[in-house]
Amino acid sequence: MQMYSNTKALTFDLFGTILDLGGSLTPFINESLTTHHVKCITADEFWEQWRYRQRIEQYQDTIMMLGHSGYLETVRRALHYTLRRNGIDATPEIVEAFMLGWQQLTPFPEVLSALSRLKTKYQLVVLSNGDPDFLDYLVTNRVEWVFDGVISVTSFGSFKPHPCVYRGAAGKLELEVNECMMVSANSFDIMGARACGFRGAYVNRYKLPYEDTQFQPDITVGDFTELADTLL
């Protein structure tokens, strides 16, 4: 507890950390595959490929210094790639059917009760790769929680884990980087934050190995209940 006793703000990743992407989207993917008579791939396999490709799209934007092209735009580009990879014609109708699920994302079941506990001690802030309008919609209508702030990386012009995101977020919060803790189920997010001086809480929801790097998380937990138990 002593190593992060000066933490004042928890900055939360939204997609995959607060919002259950796979659990929310897989039913929509399955319905779309069934509707279009696609039998060459399961919904789980399709989602794994789609999510992996979307991250590549984000990394490419950052590496090529193209700026923030838009979160949903990277989702759409990744969808086109995944459809074509599996021999499916990426018509506007099919793309729209698959994309509809992103409006119905839901939080993991333990998130809200844990946030209620954590707000007694910390500022709770969303720090997300999402577009501002999309984040506002999701936080208001899907998470249904009033955060102390919602920060989109669009204001910094790069996707996480670019260093400007974490340093810029600390600046917006008028805090030192070591007074902020990044909370994410994406290990690259924790690694990027730790490299900038943030504390890091790795929510290992998916039971995946962490990168072999010097920038290790301060704490590793399985879900938000365990996160609150550890930080309070």
Side-chain angles (χ1 to χ4, degrees):
M1 214 26 213
Q2 186 177 2
M3 73 171 64
Y4 43 84
S5 59
N6 67 329
T7 300
K8 296 179 180 178
L10 304 181
T11 58
F12 292 90
D13 172 66
L14 192 65
F15 300 107
T17 302
I18 286 177
L19 293 171
D20 181 4
L21 296 190
S24 303
L25 291 169
T26 301
F28 284 86
I29 294 171
N30 186 61
E31 181 179 350
S32 297
L33 292 174
T34 301
T35 299
H36 295 93
H37 309 290
V38 176
K39 299 179 181 179
C40 61
I41 188 171
T42 68
D44 288 337
E45 292 168 337
F46 190 97
W47 167 240
E48 184 177 359
Q49 292 180 15
W50 188 2
R51 180 62 165 159
Y52 177 75
R53 182 65 196 185
Q54 187 216 349
R55 287 173 173 160
I56 291 178
E57 296 288 344
Q58 294 176 179
Y59 294 153
Q60 286 181 164
D61 277 8
T62 298
I63 292 169
M64 297 171 66
M65 294 186 287
L66 298 176
H68 186 280
S69 62
Y71 186 85
L72 287 176
E73 173 60 16
T74 64
V75 170
R76 186 196 64 79
R77 293 199 311 242
L79 173 59
H80 264 263
Y81 179 92
T82 306
L83 288 168
R84 289 183 283 116
R85 175 180 173 179
N86 290 282
I88 305 168
D89 189 11
T91 65
E93 294 76 19
I94 289 178
V95 170
E96 182 180 4
F98 277 85
M99 290 293 291
L100 280 175
W102 288 84
Q103 304 300 315
Q104 302 298 321
L105 301 178
T106 56
F108 287 97
E110 86 289 353
V111 164
L112 295 183
S113 60
L115 291 177
S116 295
R117 296 171 60 195
L118 290 165
K119 74 175 183 178
T120 62
K121 184 174 180 180
Y122 304 99
Q123 293 184 58
L124 306 184
V125 179
V126 170
L127 177 56
S128 173
N129 279 332
D131 314 307
D133 289 346
F134 190 37
L135 292 182
D136 288 342
Y137 164 76
L138 291 172
V139 166
T140 301
N141 298 288
R142 305 306 302 167
V143 183
E144 298 184 83
W145 178 266
V146 179
F147 289 91
D148 296 302
V150 177
I151 302 174
S152 168
V153 302
T154 56
S155 58
F156 312 119
S158 295
F159 286 102
K160 293 184 293 182
H162 195 286
C164 70
V165 171
Y166 307 102
R167 293 169 184 154
K172 281 182 176 289
L173 297 173
E174 299 183 348
L175 295 173
E176 298 295 329
V177 287
N178 65 358
E179 294 176 316
C180 303
M181 175 177 282
M182 188 70 217
V183 180
S184 182
N186 301 301
S187 58
F188 70 82
D189 198 0
I190 298 300
M191 182 173 62
R194 292 288 291 118
C196 292
F198 270 53
R199 297 299 184 184
Y202 180 37
V203 185
N204 193 5
R205 292 190 178 280
Y206 311 106
K207 297 180 173 58
L208 295 173
Y210 192 84
E211 278 81 355
D212 182 13
T213 173
Q214 63 178 307
F215 302 112
Q216 294 293 312
D218 294 285
I219 59 173
T220 299
V221 296
D223 58 22
F224 271 42
T225 301
E226 190 177 351
L227 176 70
D229 290 343
T230 302
L231 292 179
L232 296 176

